[in-house]
Amino acid sequence: MDSGKINLSIDSDMRQVQHVGEAVRCLCKHLELADAKPSSVELAVVEAVNNSIEHAYRLQSGNTVDVDFEYDTDSLNIKIRDYGMPMPTSIADLFAEDVSMPDTSVDLDGLPVSGWGMQLLKSICDDVSYNRIQSCNTLSLSFKLSSVSA
Amino acid sequence: MSFETEIKNDIAVLTVTAGRLDANVAPDLKQAVSDIVDGGISRIMLDLKQVQFMDSSGLGAVISSFKLTGQKGEFVICNMNDAVQEILTLTHMDRLFQIYPNAEEGLQKMCA
């Protein structure tokens, strides 16, 4: 495995997300990216694309979500781009905070049933960042890779 | 249909027949569990043997299902693959749920 770039693009339809997820998993397996577990990379990309469709496009299909991969021997960098509403500050701010999962010993009623996606992203990826330039939202996911075994 | 339900000794074994427990399937899981609870059964085993992938929407639906059965009910999970196990571990939900390697063992424990 040396280096390369691969670009995927899907419609902002939740039914399309599984296709990009499966493509990501196959890609990771094929490239044999050391340390980047295919199922974890798939989960991270699916969470990011779900976020674009849900928050940027308000679940409306007919818009574009781009997923760009760039990899070399040291890292796998994935950018998820949409052209919809900005990410809510309450979510974007999570990237600057430490990950803290809910306390499972608390009362059952207090356990959240949503909002796990961004916390999972932070747990899985080595680095996550968000920026908005003009009308383009970019969520950048980074995975560090060690040397690939022969 | 993304689910199959079988009643065994007053325990509903709910099998997810979809390969992915994601945002498309999560609302149906919550509805399926709600229907079971409304039917008077509050002991549920969620069988994930056919699920290859679960995202945070699926996790939310599983937590919702757990809450629906309430403190008096019972909600257990069996047959998770490594990818599903990973998301429960990352979120510490593996500490909350009773998890069994297969349905037979889970039913045995629930009936004991």
Side-chain angles (χ1 to χ4, degrees):
Chain A
M1 195 277 295
D2 44 12
S3 63
K5 292 181 181 179
I6 296 171
N7 304 320
L8 301 171
S9 188
I10 63 162
D11 185 66
S12 56
D13 182 334
M14 281 295 190
R15 291 171 298 185
Q16 299 293 319
V17 179
Q18 80 169 80
H19 301 312
V20 78
E22 287 164 354
V24 167
R25 180 159 31 94
C26 290
L27 189 62
C28 289
K29 283 181 182 171
H30 179 70
L31 295 173
E32 296 180 340
L33 300 171
D35 292 346
K37 201 170 162 190
S39 61
S40 298
V41 179
E42 178 184 9
L43 179 58
V45 172
V46 165
E47 294 298 342
V49 174
N50 280 348
N51 181 75
S52 286
I53 296 173
E54 185 177 347
H55 294 292
Y57 294 133
R58 302 283 194 262
L59 299 172
Q60 294 297 309
S61 60
N63 302 287
T64 300
V65 181
D66 295 317
V67 182
D68 301 337
F69 293 82
E70 191 167 350
Y71 60 90
D72 56 31
T73 51
D74 298 322
S75 64
L76 167 64
N77 297 298
I78 306 172
K79 294 187 186 303
I80 293 86
R81 292 192 175 91
D82 67 63
Y83 310 90
M85 302 284 287
M87 183 182 285
T89 309
S90 58
I91 297 176
D93 285 349
L94 288 174
F95 298 133
E97 300 171 2
D98 289 335
V99 178
S100 76
M101 294 300 176
D103 182 359
T104 54
S105 64
V106 300
D107 180 40
L108 195 58
D109 291 335
L111 205 57
V113 296
S114 62
W116 294 93
M118 293 300 112
Q119 297 191 62
L120 277 169
L121 272 183
K122 283 209 65 171
S123 297
I124 296 167
C125 304
D126 291 303
D127 189 51
V128 183
S129 62
Y130 165 77
N131 69 44
R132 179 176 172 88
I133 297 175
Q134 294 182 332
S135 60
C136 176
N137 298 307
T138 303
L139 191 56
S140 302
L141 316 178
S142 180
F143 299 84
K144 290 176 187 166
L145 307 175
S146 61
S147 304
V148 181
S149 56
Chain B
M1 289 291 289
S2 300
F3 307 96
E4 287 175 359
T5 307
E6 190 177 359
I7 309 299
K8 294 179 178 176
N9 298 325
D10 290 332
I11 297 166
V13 179
L14 179 61
T15 303
V16 182
T17 56
R20 300 176 70 89
L21 186 42
D22 58 13
N24 296 303
V25 177
D28 297 335
L29 173 60
K30 285 189 267 190
Q31 187 59 54
V33 171
S34 179
D35 290 344
I36 291 169
V37 172
D38 289 346
I41 294 177
S42 59
R43 303 180 75 204
I44 298 174
M45 171 184 286
L46 183 66
D47 192 333
L48 300 177
K49 66 185 169 192
Q50 295 181 51
V51 176
Q52 301 300 310
F53 174 85
M54 182 168 80
D55 66 8
S56 64
S57 302
L59 174 68
V62 172
I63 296 170
S64 279
S65 301
F66 180 58
K67 291 171 106 170
L68 271 172
T69 58
Q71 300 286 3
K72 293 178 183 174
E74 194 172 2
F75 184 85
V76 310
I77 304 172
C78 68
N79 279 321
M80 291 191 303
N81 74 359
D82 290 345
V84 176
Q85 175 71 54
E86 183 185 17
I87 188 171
L88 292 188
T89 304
L90 284 170
T91 55
H92 301 167
M93 287 300 112
D94 57 333
R95 302 174 188 173
L96 183 70
F97 297 121
Q98 290 180 63
I99 298 168
Y100 296 102
N102 55 64
E104 292 73 24
E105 190 173 324
L107 282 171
Q108 200 173 29
K109 292 278 170 55
M110 290 177 85
C111 294

